[in-house]
């Protein structure tokens, strides 16, 4: 299993798999095999050595426990892994054993392995992001005309459509995913610099080997080694922070809409989800809770990563050793939030009757601005404001609707008919540019 | 003055100015004037009102103390400012006073004002970023052949060139600035949605007014209002985090090179910089300290901003109110780090004699890898490794150089001449692809 | 004014005052005056010098702008301030000018000044904490029997009392304040170590002067200087983080209770608080929003402060220079949250009718557990669970209450009378240990 | 194995064990067994049920994979665990199965289990903290007279003793541990409140059961349930942040002292520690790197935890679900830093010859303050300052020592003999209160 129980709510199986021991080891061994291949092609080491190394570079043959324990002493997994690989080779081909890891440094292996794991993470995330976006687009279209309360500072306001609300989530999620996707693309580069980033031990074969190695691994060749320049990884971590924040925003809204007292929209239940051990009637917003939890943790990882950027000279101390766990956890938490909200987007249920009742229960108060502007157009905004305040106060005191209160004010009835006053409280005709904005958000390539 | 004494090391005058009270107020008033103008053009309010509003929208006429104190009660500066503007107008033109802020909501004003301030911040940062990059490019060219120790985990390693080290800073700083610059460009968009983001009170004039208002302010029109979708601001804050991290990396390196025991490169002194109140001989790395201090604070702002992203429904509570100070401080700290390191880049002095002496004082030990690979090419890597370890141990015990120790080993002298052994310790011929990487880093458009 | 407009929601006037330029300067000058006095008493400098220095150490006589600008160059305010003080003295008493700052280092001044400002902060915070606790205690007593819904994961649950809810806030706030108060007490210590923390320049007068200086300032004398050991300041910052978190918890609950759809408890309005620029009927939770905003920012400060703790050797670079602003902002944000919630605690209004209606609107569903345990005691928990699930499903489908559904199940009516079923939905008799816990929380000295 | 390879540098085996799946499950089952026992003693459930439950509550009998996967759906491990326990019982004793988890809620189990794990963490940490403190105390005593450079802002300053430097670490580490230890003590309390914190389903047996349960588990009984009041856990997390910061401070100093160019103090090597894959001569500060890495990550966890404190109503959503992983990781990283620095403290080696040479290589410049105060006592500080500046400049230009430069100034030689000038550069006689402070730091009970 890839996740400890204590971290159950920090990981979804699909994402935990990405950074499993087997994945990591194989990525490191893939680097060693590709390096040998590139060096053989450049005439630096014999072809037979490259073949032998490739043959021995199988993760399943290595002892994870021992690597972990030696890695902790060495401050890097690369040293014990290279040693173990060399020993394996020595047993079968002493000559080839000499050429393992030729010219590379520990961080070349660990950084490139991380890059390879992030490439797989990108595929996994892209899949779920596409699912989420498709589901939200469908739901927004479906609910283009579903009218509900707008809410600001947790107070009821004029109406919006559920379609617009969903399109707002969609817009932010699309932009944030595009950003993360691009950053994951930018980090798909080779790390290869040798001891201090000059590849001095390879002499004039340095660039040919680097070029070949990058090609072998399907990675781009950066302008130079980046052992102590972590901006591209920082960008990935930050963009996860933004994406997780956008997912948490959606989760926050859904969880608020699921409140017993609101009851307008629900994440899907079923299959062990959302029950309570003591309250059989409850339907808890668990997917949202997981996404909100992830959204709580990721900003801390971002701060840690950024704090660790000032790494000393050609290879740092502390900042560097702190990174791998932080990156993995950032991707995992982001992935958990993403699958959780994809599940929500694909399966939520809407209670549009409740939406209407919730609008009705404001007794027209949310249309005060509308009334004010309507009256203001004739009486002036000032007088209108005073009149409306009067009406609102009366409606609250008497428990009547704003419309009834307005009907009781002669200055109002002098300019508005009963029908006009009645229509002030029709939510469907007070949606402004909601549909235009909704379409723009779904269409926009911004 | 724009900065409190207690925050002296969190702000440089140039950047403090950007978010001064006058700047902020004028940006808010610019929104109100432009809104009136756009609404007048769209036939929503009279042209005379637009003119009158524009005339009254001068920051200097408003009472900052009172606005601050009322703003704290209202939870937004927009409410008291709109009220004060309306009152100013009422005194001179009662008719026009009715049309102040017509159809807009508080957050339309405050967000658009922030966007306008960030546009100015972009200009200021771009100026200093260009200065920094130009200075680093010059310095890297100048020191293309200045050989110095490479250092990993704070230990001496094989040589690099100062030119390559500087090019490494340059590369990360250029990439990070490009990212921040782009994010500042993306956020140069209008915020305009009215009470709940539908602009309902403007009816079918909503989009024409929005379009005109954006044009008036020189901002792009986004697909829809973004009151509770803060990803673009988050991107700016994150990219400041990365840029500040890259600046702090350079500051870290310079401060380490300035150590009494290293003494290879110094930030410029002069003009009250870097003295000590008790130690007249000291030359403290103050510009670096300021950049490192900024690099310490920004990650915390980033975490706060990201944590605040899940804002409730159409306009949030808490997350929203927390942002303005966080954004301003992020830009200010980033700006302080940037001007500090620009000053360093333009004025540092290099002690290349000390660089040579520091290389020499390793007694050739840093060339152990070189020797190993040279010998290994003939004897096999294994035997070579054993021989070199022997030589290193002997050199350490006897206090001689690695070359001397090698000369005393018959297995070594059997394959390497005294001259060849001597040349092993020549740093200038063991630089690998340093110059190639340096040129790629300076040239690259990656 | 002490706060910039852009930081309006990050500071309350009372707390901004604590760290004003005048406060800071005077605290620094108080150190210099007390130092001279202690050195005069110990026979290190002439009594006349101590008198002259004391006379010149008046904040109002110094040019803040110039100090700020020189401080930024020097990396510390102490250097230009000591210089300015020396110059002022030289003009009147050349002999005494020699003895300004005798034996001290910059950080002795700046750290001790911070400690003096924190002492004042402690008084201010204690005052508001006492106000808050008193108000909560009163309110908890008043509402010992006010029954309301308990809510978990934002879903309605069995009833609690408002008195217990308030006592829960009270308990956490009392514990957190006690912790912060203690940490503020622990940091009330002198900083005095000279250049590297040995006070070498004072020879055998070192400890007598330190002792006298501490006494003079009313501070404790720590075991040794703590220039690079920031744990006590870190403790203050962390405890502010916890206190701000506890305040934000209360703010979160109040803001959720103020929702239009819940409407059970309201922060006080009045005096420009909580209105909307576009929606005259709104009553926004502004005090809560400010507290939540502060609660959003403080964790970021905490992370920054902790990241900066590993300060180099006897006095650090970067971490040190980053602190002052962070500490001030932490106190200010905590203070803002505290005054906001004190205002809420002293003035909230309760709608107990709405509380009852909200309980009623669950149609008894929240008593499912109660019914299950009652029936389970006779039929076994398993059978009971099955029966209750049946009843809940039926109640939901038919829109009837749980009681009605239970009445329709013969297996239930066989063991419970109609009266007993009716009483299952009486919230006042299902409060368990609520009152006992409430009293313990108010009484407890834990 | 308890730690994934990707998290190798975020965990030490001893601490990973604390939060292993077996530990966590058993702690949860211990709660269930103790609950049944307490309820049986209070006459709430039959004694036979309590016995049967205790017999079935063995972690090894449960399927971890399945619990993890169901837990992720339920949003809590408690629900599937209680279900699995009930099923196990049902197979053997249907009657007793009814009484599993009687009256408790999910969070009662998970919180109390966390508390039980933290109790074990306290023991583990206390052991290592004692080791560290003992080693530092010994080392400080041993090096009470080992003179070395003091360093501020990474620049050489007047001398200190290594004993004082170590005592400085000791003082901060002792204070920080005492704080963490106390907070771990404070959190050793029961969580038990049922659905909404009233224990309503237990009626008047609520307090007796709670009291018995606390006793059974060896925990204190708090004033009331604390489901949504996380201050005590926050205190533990914060105090880990401070302790990790203090450990990282020591690691920072050691790593700087290990620099090739400084070479004064070294962490122990041996056993795979600190080698380089490409540079056989290197001795890398790996234990320090691990402690610094931990020090980098913990502040982010602290920020996340504090951000999550405002948990909704009686039990929150998001903040709550985020905590467990954060707490475990905080303890693990703190533990890793602690064992790393204990190893360093117990085994570092000191090169006091190098310390002397490093002092000598400043050519007396670090005694400029001493000379100034000596001369100033006779000539006045002003004239002294001017003279010293002259001498420093001359010494730098001519590459001579400060003593030689002073000897060449007639104004100096008029008042100081050659012997007196010579003695100015004797570090051993310019240590001020170093030894007094050292003893106070070791002795102090503050």
């Amino acid at each position: 299993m890839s996740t400890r129980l204590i971290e159950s709510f920090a990981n979804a199986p699909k994402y935990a798999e990405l950074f499993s021991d087997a994945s990591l080891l194989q990525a490191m061994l893939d680097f060693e095999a590709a390096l040998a291949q590139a060096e053989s092609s450049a005439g630096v080491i014999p072809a037979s050595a490259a073949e032998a190394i490739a043959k021995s570079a199988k993760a399943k043959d290595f002892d994870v426990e021992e690597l972990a324990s030696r890695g902790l002493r060495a401050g890097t997994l690369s040293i014990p892994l290279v040693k173990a690989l060399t020993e394996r080779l020595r047993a079968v081909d002493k000559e080839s054993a000499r050429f393992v890891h030729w010219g590379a440094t520990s961080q070349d292996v660990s950084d490139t392995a991380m890059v390879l794991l992030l490439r797989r993470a990108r595929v996994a995330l892209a899949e779920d992001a596409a699912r989420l976006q498709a589901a939200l687009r469908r739901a927004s279209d479906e609910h283009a005309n579903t009218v509900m309360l707008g809410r600001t500072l947790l107070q009821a306001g004029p109406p919006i459509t559920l379609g617009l609300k969903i399109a707002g989530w969609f817009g932010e999620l699309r932009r944030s995913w595009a950003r993360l996707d691009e950053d994951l693309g930018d980090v798909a580069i080779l790390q290869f610099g040798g001891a201090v980033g000059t590849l001095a031990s390879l002499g004039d074969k340095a660039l040919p080997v680097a070029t070949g190695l990058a090609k072998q691994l399907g990675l781009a060749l950066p302008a130079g080694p980046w052992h102590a320049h972590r901006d591209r990884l920082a960008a990935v971590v930050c963009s996860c922070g933004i994406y997780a924040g956008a997912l948490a925003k959606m989760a926050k809204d859904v969880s608020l809409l699921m409140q017993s007292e609101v009851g307008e929209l629900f994440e899907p239940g079923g299959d062990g989800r959302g029950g309570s051990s003591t309250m059989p009637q409850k339907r808890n917003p668990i997917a949202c809770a997981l996404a909100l939890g992830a959204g709580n943790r990721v900003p801390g990882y971002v701060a840690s990563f950024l704090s660790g950027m000032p790494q000393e000279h050609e290879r740092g101390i502390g900042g560097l050793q702190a990174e791998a766990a932080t990156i993995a956890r950032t991707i995992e938490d982001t992935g958990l939030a993403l699958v959780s909200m994809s599940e929500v987007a694909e399966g939520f249920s809407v209670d549009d009757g409740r939406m209407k009742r919730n609008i009705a229960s404001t007794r027209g108060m949310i249309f005060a601005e509308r009334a004010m502007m309507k009256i203001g157009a004739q009486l002036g905004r000032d007088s209108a404001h005073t009149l409306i305040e009067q009406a609102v106060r009366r409606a609250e005191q008497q428990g009547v609707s704003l419309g009834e209160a307005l009907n009781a004010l002669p200055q109002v009835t002098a300019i508005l008919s009963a029908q006009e006053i009645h229509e002030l409280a029709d939510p469907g005709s007070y949606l402004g540019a909601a549909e235009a904005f909704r379409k723009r958000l779904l269409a926009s390539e911004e």
Side-chain angles (χ1 to χ4, degrees), chain A residues 89-107:
Chain A
L89 270 164
R90 195 169 299 152
V92 297
D93 176 358
K94 228 170 168 180
E95 185 59 23
S96 296
R98 291 168 47 193
F99 296 108
V100 170
H101 195 62
W102 192 260
T105 194
S106 317
Q107 201 183 337

Side-chain angles (χ1 to χ4, degrees), chain A residues 2-156:
Chain A
S2 306
T3 307
R4 296 187 293 164
L5 273 184
I6 196 99
E7 289 165 320
S8 293
F9 312 119
N11 220 334
K14 173 177 177 183
Y15 289 92
E17 197 44 50
L18 292 173
F19 296 99
S20 70
D21 295 349
S23 298
L24 174 58
L25 272 191
Q26 194 55 58
M28 295 177 80
L29 291 166
D30 288 349
F31 173 89
E32 297 293 349
L35 172 64
Q37 180 58 51
E39 291 181 330
S40 149
S41 302
V44 176
I45 70 169
S48 58
E51 263 172 66
I53 291 171
K55 226 174 273 170
S56 291
K58 309 290 179 220
K60 64 174 175 40
D61 298 333
F62 291 79
D63 179 339
V64 170
E65 290 278 352
E66 197 179 316
L67 287 174
S69 128
R70 292 190 179 180
L72 194 62
R73 301 227 37 96
T76 166
L77 287 172
S78 307
I79 291 180
L81 179 64
V82 166
K83 211 171 158 187
L85 177 59
T86 306
E87 277 160 17
R88 288 191 66 78
L89 270 164
R90 195 169 299 152
V92 297
D93 176 358
K94 228 170 168 180
E95 185 59 23
S96 296
R98 291 168 47 193
F99 296 108
V100 170
H101 195 62
W102 192 260
T105 194
S106 317
Q107 201 183 337
D108 291 337
V109 190
S110 54
D111 276 353
T112 303
M114 176 55 84
V115 159
L116 294 172
L117 298 183
L118 288 175
R119 183 167 61 186
R120 293 182 51 207
R122 190 186 186 191
V123 176
L125 290 163
E127 218 173 77
D128 289 323
R131 245 179 86 196
L132 172 63
Q133 286 175 204
L136 289 177
R137 180 185 291 280
R138 270 195 313 273
S140 176
D141 283 341
E142 187 184 340
H143 292 287
N145 300 311
T146 307
V147 177
M148 68 189 294
L149 282 174
R151 291 172 175 97
T152 63
L153 290 103
L154 293 177
Q155 301 296 303

